[in-house]
Amino acid sequence: MTLPPSAIAIRGLCKSYGKAEVLHDIDLEIARGATTCLIGPSGSGKSTLLRCIAFLEEATRGTILIDGQPLGFEERPDGKRVRLPPHRIRAVRAGIGMVFQQFNLWPHMTALGNVTEALVTVKGLSRAEADARGMAQLRRVGLEARARHYPSELSGGQQQRVAIARALALEPAILLFDEPTASLDPELTGEVLNVMRDLGAEGMTMVVVTHEIGFAATVGQRIAFLDHGRVLLNGTPGELFAAPRHPRLTQFLETYLDRGAAMLLQPA
Amino acid sequence: MSFDVSVVLAALPAILSGLKVTLGIWLAAAAMGVVLGFVVAALRHFGPAPLGLALRLVVEVLRGTPFLVQIFLLYFGGPYVGLSLDPVPAGLLGLTVYAAAYFSEIFRAGFAAVPRGHVEAAHCVGLTRAQIVRRILVPEMTMLVLPQCVNMAVILVKETAVLSVIAVPEATGVISAIGSQQYAFLEALFLLAVIYWGLVEACGWAGRMIERRLSKFRFA
């Protein structure tokens, strides 16, 4: 048992699409109140792993515990893996917020409408109360003034910040980010990363799939390096990036030489 | 040969009554076609697979045969299976079913075109399946398919002319009859062309108004 107890505990997780197994027996503990970055080459399974934690993909085997509660499936003492009833799945998922690469804002709702939708539809709050809470979240991401704008009237960076506010509105204990800046140009990337940095500083538990190695190295407290569906390395940025470095990680980082991560390759 | 539309226009009350029937059948068939088409598309998208397959077959047949043939089959073939309808109800039913087939295809494509991520985002914030359909899928699909729906309405107004073959007293039947009584075929046809074109323009204009109002909801 790790101390402090993990926000997310992943045990023996496997995920297959037909015959192709994309996650092999993943064991991973995600620390509470910390930012964990999942890095790795394309096809390494990092997004699939994150989507399993969001229960957007159902793992083929293994368990995921969110604050000790099983997500989606439970392993019985006799070894049988059973799917939990919808209300129990929903209850555990409620503690998890998700931010997507493509923002996925609903185009027919304003920024505020996107943020308040679940507060009204799911939580049953009054319009006024939901709006007040929604505005507070938009303020948190610096977009109070854009509340009445539709997604099409916002920049990519602003849309992603609205998407973060939407996830925050339900007050989740864990926020998942699936390559949140991969669709943004460098300038807009900065504004989104700043919001994420602030959230990390506030002690939000975050799991971030990212290609922003610089962000991972500076903001991530833990980094898991995935390769071919396995967690190859898992530790603090210092442990991972300091020499002697795992050869596979060095090989991966070399692809970032032209992308501002050269400093990571300097001999320690 | 002289060209004098006033000969035809002299029968204005008859023309207006024909126009009224055309408008009535058009709007009613379009409205009911939209509703029926939506139900069919929803059943195909969310319903059990065998039902979806059966509906698909019906839609394919309706889209794969000329409306003229369908309306003849309904009006003259209907009585053999116990469906004897007067011209107007037969025309209305035929055009509604024909419209529903096309609208259902439009809606089906619309449902499929809503990005998967928008549904996933809704799942992540805890919306139920029914809430996702009502709050996300249907509104987004509607925005996507609006231009095609306007286009379909334009096609429908022209298809009402076909109903003259089963003696529905709509504009084409009435006005061409006047034309033959007055020996003014060309004038009658000219007048008909102007009327249909006017209706189509009005429909297109209405569509553009709605689209403009919805434009800020467009996909980012």
Side-chain angles (χ1 to χ4, degrees), chain B residues 37-49 51-53 55-56 104 107-116 119 129 132-133 137-138 141:
Chain B
F38 180 83
V39 171
V40 169
L43 285 173
R44 283 183 66 183
H45 195 79
F46 304 107
L51 178 65
L53 207 66
L55 287 171
R56 184 182 150 194
S104 81
F107 293 141
R108 187 196 57 76
F111 276 127
V114 173
R116 231 189 107 60
V119 175
R129 249 179 90 92
I132 290 172
V133 172
L137 277 177
V138 170
M141 183 272 284

Side-chain angles (χ1 to χ4, degrees), chain A residues 51 54 56-57 90 93-94 96-98 100 102-109 117-118 121-122 127 150-154 159 166-167 170, chain B residues 115-129 131-132 134-141 143 214-220:
Chain A
R51 289 171 58 82
L56 291 170
E57 304 284 348
R90 199 174 291 278
R93 274 183 98 176
I96 305 170
M98 175 84 175
F100 299 85
Q102 298 296 340
F103 327 137
N104 288 336
L105 293 181
W106 302 305
H108 56 297
M109 299 179 192
E117 175 61 25
T121 311
V122 180
R127 178 41 64 193
Y150 285 88
S152 64
E153 301 166 332
L154 300 172
Q159 289 187 55
R166 174 173 70 181
L170 293 160
Chain B
R116 231 189 107 60
H118 293 195
V119 175
E120 289 184 345
H123 274 299
C124 283
V125 294
L127 268 66
T128 62
R129 249 179 90 92
Q131 287 168 338
I132 290 172
R134 193 163 47 81
R135 300 287 305 164
I136 310 295
L137 277 177
V138 170
E140 288 199 25
M141 183 272 284
M143 288 159 42
L214 290 179
S215 67
K216 63 177 159 195
F217 303 156
R218 75 184 180 276
F219 282 72

Side-chain angles (χ1 to χ4, degrees), chain B residues 1-9 175-191:
Chain B
M1 181 182 153
S2 65
F3 188 86
D4 185 1
V5 180
S6 67
V7 178
V8 182
L9 282 175
I175 294 173
S176 55
I178 296 165
S180 44
Q181 283 157 18
Q182 308 288 335
Y183 295 100
F185 300 106
L186 275 181
E187 289 88 340
L189 291 172
F190 175 76
L191 183 63

Side-chain angles (χ1 to χ4, degrees), chain A residues 109-145:
Chain A
M109 299 179 192
T110 61
L112 185 61
N114 269 276
V115 178
T116 56
E117 175 61 25
L119 292 176
V120 175
T121 311
V122 180
K123 295 240 165 159
L125 296 190
S126 71
R127 178 41 64 193
E129 201 178 336
D131 281 356
R133 281 213 215 173
M135 287 307 286
Q137 295 304 344
L138 285 172
R139 197 173 306 131
R140 203 165 164 189
V141 299
L143 286 174
E144 219 180 345

Side-chain angles (χ1 to χ4, degrees), chain A residues 86-99:
Chain A
H87 72 273
R88 282 193 63 188
I89 295 176
R90 199 174 291 278
V92 175
R93 274 183 98 176
I96 305 170
M98 175 84 175
V99 176

Side-chain angles (χ1 to χ4, degrees), chain B:
Chain B
M1 181 182 153
S2 65
F3 188 86
D4 185 1
V5 180
S6 67
V7 178
V8 182
L9 282 175
L12 196 61
I15 291 172
L16 285 179
S17 97
L19 203 57
K20 226 165 75 182
V21 172
T22 291
L23 270 174
I25 289 184
W26 171 41
L27 293 175
M32 294 191 295
V34 163
V35 173
L36 189 60
F38 180 83
V39 171
V40 169
L43 285 173
R44 283 183 66 183
H45 195 79
F46 304 107
L51 178 65
L53 207 66
L55 287 171
R56 184 182 150 194
L57 189 71
V58 174
V59 168
E60 292 296 314
V61 168
L62 286 166
R63 296 201 320 144
T65 51
F67 181 57
L68 182 68
V69 174
Q70 292 173 20
I71 204 70
F72 272 140
L73 276 174
L74 174 66
Y75 187 64
F76 296 111
Y80 290 100
V81 291
L83 188 70
S84 297
L85 292 172
D86 286 334
V88 170
L92 189 55
L93 177 65
L95 196 63
T96 298
V97 169
Y98 173 81
Y102 279 90
F103 279 121
S104 81
E105 269 302 293
I106 293 172
F107 293 141
R108 187 196 57 76
F111 276 127
V114 173
R116 231 189 107 60
H118 293 195
V119 175
E120 289 184 345
H123 274 299
C124 283
V125 294
L127 268 66
T128 62
R129 249 179 90 92
Q131 287 168 338
I132 290 172
V133 172
R134 193 163 47 81
R135 300 287 305 164
I136 310 295
L137 277 177
V138 170
E140 288 199 25
M141 183 272 284
T142 307
M143 288 159 42
L144 286 167
V145 302
L146 202 85
Q148 290 107 293
C149 285
V150 172
N151 189 40
M152 189 59 218
V154 164
I155 291 171
L156 279 183
V157 71
K158 291 183 289 178
E159 293 289 10
T160 58
V162 171
L163 299 180
S164 61
V165 301
I166 57 164
V168 172
E170 48 65 66
T172 298
V174 170
I175 294 173
S176 55
I178 296 165
S180 44
Q181 283 157 18
Q182 308 288 335
Y183 295 100
F185 300 106
L186 275 181
E187 289 88 340
L189 291 172
F190 175 76
L191 183 63
L192 277 170
V194 169
I195 286 173
Y196 284 111
W197 180 67
L199 287 176
V200 165
E201 278 301 310
C203 187
W205 177 82
R208 281 192 297 276
M209 286 293 113
I210 302 170
E211 267 180 61
R212 193 169 305 164
R213 293 207 55 175
L214 290 179
S215 67
K216 63 177 159 195
F217 303 156
R218 75 184 180 276
F219 282 72

